[in-house]
Amino acid sequence: MANDYDVKARNIGVDAIAAVGLRWALHTADPGAADTATGELSGGSPAYARKAVAWNAASGGVATQNGDVVLDVPTGTTVTWASLWNTAGTSRYLKKQVTSEVFGAQGTYTIKGTTTTLDLNDA
């Protein structure tokens, strides 16, 4: 039997993920199995690093990202995946294939606050 969670339960679940999913990372390939970071970017100037994210409180089973997150991308990199991690960088909570973007020169990749959500409505 499939579960039909009430909105209250979906909000609790989304807020729990938002409380621990606090760093975005970028990858050149599928990050792999749980808690792995295959193909994570490195290098550049300014150097690539995971960036902090904040989330708005869930409503209707969805939490929206609170503002844009801008990550530095080194020259000669193709970004194909993003992943969400805890602050310590030891637990990955999601991975998402994104539209490939090629960087012929040092640049930035923006994860838009207006379009990025944590959503348990289809879970």
Side-chain angles (χ1 to χ4, degrees), residues 34-59:
D35 297 338
T36 61
T38 302
E40 185 169 3
L41 307 189
S42 64
S45 181
Y48 163 80
R50 294 178 182 179
K51 295 291 175 106
V53 61
W55 300 95
N56 297 310
S59 175

Side-chain angles (χ1 to χ4, degrees), residues 10-34:
R10 292 193 308 265
N11 287 342
I12 290 168
V14 167
D15 284 337
I17 295 167
V20 294
L22 299 174
R23 295 277 187 275
W24 279 116
L26 297 176
H27 305 264
T28 61
D30 182 333

Side-chain angles (χ1 to χ4, degrees), residues 8 14 33-34 59 75 80 110:
K8 184 186 302 183
V14 167
S59 175
T75 301
T80 59
T110 302

